[in-house]
Amino acid sequence: MLQRIVYFFKENSWETVCFTQNLEEYGRVKGNLNDAGIITKTKSATPMNGNLGSVNFSSTYDIKVKQKYLHKAQEAIHKSRY
């Protein structure tokens, strides 16, 4: 019973498949995953360096998929690169 619970949580955990600051790469990866029917979560962060009016910042995108779809997601991401 305990093994089944551990397996369930491991299988349904979220893993990062792409971590980028490039908006074009983010769009390409997100599009490939959506085309493959893979549900994703995106976490984005914009670090501030203390200057509120500064234009020297960029967002960082962290795309995650469920552990059980990790292999399928990697195939979908790399499919269109070649």
Side-chain angles (χ1 to χ4, degrees):
M1 179 68 175
L2 183 61
Q3 288 178 336
R4 292 170 84 184
I5 293 171
V6 170
Y7 179 75
F8 173 80
F9 283 111
K10 181 179 179 189
E11 187 177 63
N12 289 303
S13 65
W14 293 85
E15 295 288 328
T16 299
V17 292
C18 181
F19 189 79
T20 184
Q21 290 184 331
N22 185 332
L23 188 58
E24 290 177 9
E25 182 178 4
Y26 165 75
R28 181 187 59 78
V29 170
K30 185 82 168 171
N32 286 350
L33 293 171
N34 286 340
D35 289 346
I38 300 170
I39 297 171
T40 62
K41 278 187 180 181
T42 302
K43 181 179 176 184
S44 64
T46 305
M48 299 299 281
N49 62 359
N51 298 331
L52 295 177
S54 175
V55 294
N56 295 328
F57 64 88
S58 61
S59 295
T60 302
Y61 303 97
D62 184 9
I63 302 174
K64 297 181 178 205
V65 299
K66 284 192 175 184
Q67 175 72 32
K68 61 184 173 182
Y69 300 118
L70 190 58
H71 183 71
K72 184 178 176 183
Q74 291 294 336
E75 288 178 349
I77 291 170
H78 298 292
K79 167 180 74 170
S80 67
R81 281 193 182 173
Y82 306 106

